Amino acid sequence: MARETNRKLYWSPGTVALASHIALGEAEVAYEAIIVDTSQGQQHRPDFVALNRKARVPVFVDGHFVLTETPAILRYIALCSPEAGLWPSDLESDARCSEWLSWCASTLHVAYANVGRPGRYLESDEAKAELIRVSRSTCRSLWQQVEDRFAALQTDWVVGERYTVADPYIFTCWLWGRSRLLEFDMARDFPHWTAHARRMGSRPATLAALERESIASP
Amino acid sequence: MARETNRKLYWSPGTVALASHIALGEAEVAYEAIIVDTSQGQQHRPDFVALNRKARVPVFVDGHFVLTETPAILRYIALCSPEAGLWPSDLESDARCSEWLSWCASTLHVAYANVGRPGRYLESDEAKAELIRVSRSTCRSLWQQVEDRFAALQTDWVVGERYTVADPYIFTCWLWGRSRLLEFDMARDFPHWTAHARRMGSRPATLAALERESIASP
């Protein structure tokens, strides 16, 4: 990692920041990784809230410019390194890439977050337990939708023949499926998606990002 | 509305599809509006699920191309009519536009949906009532964040000097604040955001979209 750079990624282990780490590696962008340990509640520290009032990671900083929201950060990374070709150039692939990023952020991630952070919207233990139970079932159904999309794909990558920034986001969801919160048997139940995850796992940028968090390869 | 077009927007009253209607009007794109009344559960009809397995509106169809997810649809509409200038051309404004779209979809919309559709992730009446109560409070806090962003803006539109497709999405959230689900006093509690909503309300594309659903102007 370069020591002299104006680019910084604020991140926490076990979060969606992983997708941005992978994309930054693919784009060969030099950046400083600054940990904000959400398991310790560090996202609520005044200095971080002053940077990002949403109190969430990741945050990408490029000089004076502060950017939040994973779909926006992934697109920004792609546009910063056009030679890496991480954002599609034709209209329909562009739209499909946006669609995957948005679906991951607004649906898959939200369902998973309900399992891991039921206290975001609920207070009582009974209601939280119900949210976890139903959301696990919703995740199973959503993960099956992703599997079916992968089964119908004729290409190695989710948008088409070329790897895009949508790939690290859907890969992060694959890891969530394998995590202790969901404990899906990914290889058995979602084999096409798992084949994609293993293609991801063969890329140096993925391996470096996984190693940072001591996450096993797919 | 043109009768001969390959472009179709599947929509339902009272949903986020409003943002796409407004953007299509701004882009002066001819399209056919096809109603899928979600209050009647029509999104679960086999013919619609065959089009969009997610069983959600909006869906935008352009010839053979089927696109879901509001942020992706809004960007696609902007790119289809570059002369309308609905997507920013400089890197930072581009990122800011993506960030607003993503925040609307993954956070504001999700919190609001918890109030209106608590059954998405819960089964018991007690848990649903709790979700509605806490999510209303979360919405109040998020709406205040948006107000503070508008208060700090030096420009008429949310991304900068130019109107972008982020404007109709945040405007749709303003309408949700005024709706019977939240019943916020938008003009009193969120005056800067309301000034933006009134600028939106002065545009023919907004007025046409509101009229379709018999929604009062801001």
Side-chain angles (χ1 to χ4, degrees), chain A residues 65-67, chain B residues 92-101 149 159:
Chain A
F65 187 63
V66 179
L67 187 62
Chain B
E92 290 189 6
S93 298
D94 176 305
R96 202 58 83 209
C97 190
S98 290
E99 182 186 53
W100 274 104
L101 293 178
R149 293 283 293 265
V159 171

Side-chain angles (χ1 to χ4, degrees), chain A residues 50 66 73 88 121 134 164 214:
Chain A
V66 179
I73 292 170
Y121 290 106
V134 178
T164 69
S214 304

Side-chain angles (χ1 to χ4, degrees), chain A residues 32-100:
Chain A
E32 185 183 355
I34 299 176
I35 200 162
V36 179
D37 192 341
T38 55
S39 74
Q40 304 294 320
Q42 292 182 354
Q43 74 274 30
H44 299 296
R45 280 173 25 178
D47 57 334
F48 185 71
V49 175
L51 182 74
N52 178 21
R53 177 160 169 200
K54 298 170 186 171
R56 300 266 178 101
V57 291
V59 177
F60 190 64
V61 175
D62 190 352
H64 70 284
F65 187 63
V66 179
L67 187 62
T68 64
E69 306 297 332
T70 291
I73 292 170
L74 291 174
R75 178 169 157 78
Y76 184 82
I77 292 166
L79 296 189
C80 282
S81 296
E83 67 283 2
L86 298 173
W87 192 271
S89 52
D90 70 286
L91 179 63
E92 290 189 7
S93 298
D94 176 304
R96 202 58 84 208
C97 190
S98 290
E99 181 187 54
W100 274 104

Side-chain angles (χ1 to χ4, degrees), chain A residues 53-54 56 64-69 71-72 75-76 79-80 87 91-92 94-96 98-99 102-103 105-107 110-111 114 120-124 127 130-131 133-135 138 141 144-145 148-149, chain B residues 53-54 56 64-69 71-72 75-76 79-80 87 91-92 94-96 98-99 102-103 105-107 110-111 114 120-124 127 130-131 133-135 138 141 144-145 148-149:
Chain A
R53 177 160 169 200
K54 298 170 186 171
R56 300 266 178 101
H64 70 284
F65 187 63
V66 179
L67 187 62
T68 64
E69 306 297 332
R75 178 169 157 78
Y76 184 82
L79 296 189
C80 282
W87 192 271
L91 179 63
E92 290 189 7
D94 176 304
R96 202 58 84 208
S98 290
E99 181 187 54
S102 185
W103 195 41
S106 66
T107 302
V110 168
N114 281 345
R120 264 189 190 158
Y121 290 106
L122 291 168
E123 291 164 352
S124 74
E130 185 175 323
L131 182 66
R133 178 174 55 76
V134 178
S135 297
T138 301
S141 161
Q144 185 62 51
Q145 279 191 49
D148 294 346
R149 294 282 293 266
Chain B
R53 179 160 167 200
K54 298 170 185 171
R56 301 265 179 102
H64 71 286
F65 187 63
V66 179
L67 187 62
T68 64
E69 306 298 332
R75 178 169 157 78
Y76 184 83
L79 296 188
C80 282
W87 192 270
L91 179 63
E92 290 189 6
D94 176 305
R96 202 58 83 209
S98 290
E99 182 186 53
S102 184
W103 194 41
S106 66
T107 302
V110 168
N114 280 345
R120 263 190 191 157
Y121 291 106
L122 292 168
E123 292 165 351
S124 73
E130 185 175 324
L131 183 67
R133 179 174 54 76
V134 177
S135 297
T138 301
S141 160
Q144 186 61 51
Q145 278 191 49
D148 294 347
R149 293 283 293 265

Side-chain angles (χ1 to χ4, degrees), chain B residues 168-209:
Chain B
Y169 205 163
I170 198 66
F171 171 68
T172 303
C173 296
W174 185 93
L175 294 171
W176 292 340
R178 194 184 62 174
S179 74
R180 63 174 178 77
L181 287 178
L182 294 179
E183 292 187 322
F184 295 157
D185 186 333
M186 294 299 294
R188 185 194 67 192
D189 295 345
F190 308 106
H192 295 89
W193 190 357
T194 297
H196 173 269
R198 289 178 178 157
R199 282 191 289 279
M200 288 292 297
S202 72
R203 297 174 76 95
T206 304
L207 292 170

Side-chain angles (χ1 to χ4, degrees), chain B residues 17-121:
Chain B
L18 181 83
S20 295
H21 280 302
I22 296 173
L24 285 160
E26 292 284 351
E28 298 185 7
V29 167
Y31 69 104
E32 184 183 356
I34 299 176
I35 200 161
V36 180
D37 191 340
T38 56
S39 74
Q40 305 293 319
Q42 292 181 354
Q43 74 273 31
H44 299 296
R45 280 172 25 178
D47 58 334
F48 185 71
V49 174
L51 183 73
N52 178 21
R53 179 160 167 200
K54 298 170 185 171
R56 301 265 179 102
V57 291
V59 177
F60 189 64
V61 175
D62 189 353
H64 71 286
F65 187 63
V66 179
L67 187 62
T68 64
E69 306 298 332
T70 291
I73 292 170
L74 291 174
R75 178 169 157 78
Y76 184 83
I77 292 166
L79 296 188
C80 282
S81 296
E83 67 284 1
L86 299 173
W87 192 270
S89 52
D90 70 287
L91 179 63
E92 290 189 6
S93 298
D94 176 305
R96 202 58 83 209
C97 190
S98 290
E99 182 186 53
W100 274 104
L101 293 178
S102 184
W103 194 41
C104 287
S106 66
T107 302
L108 303 178
H109 193 164
V110 168
Y112 175 70
N114 280 345
V115 179
R117 303 179 194 275
R120 263 190 191 157
Y121 291 106

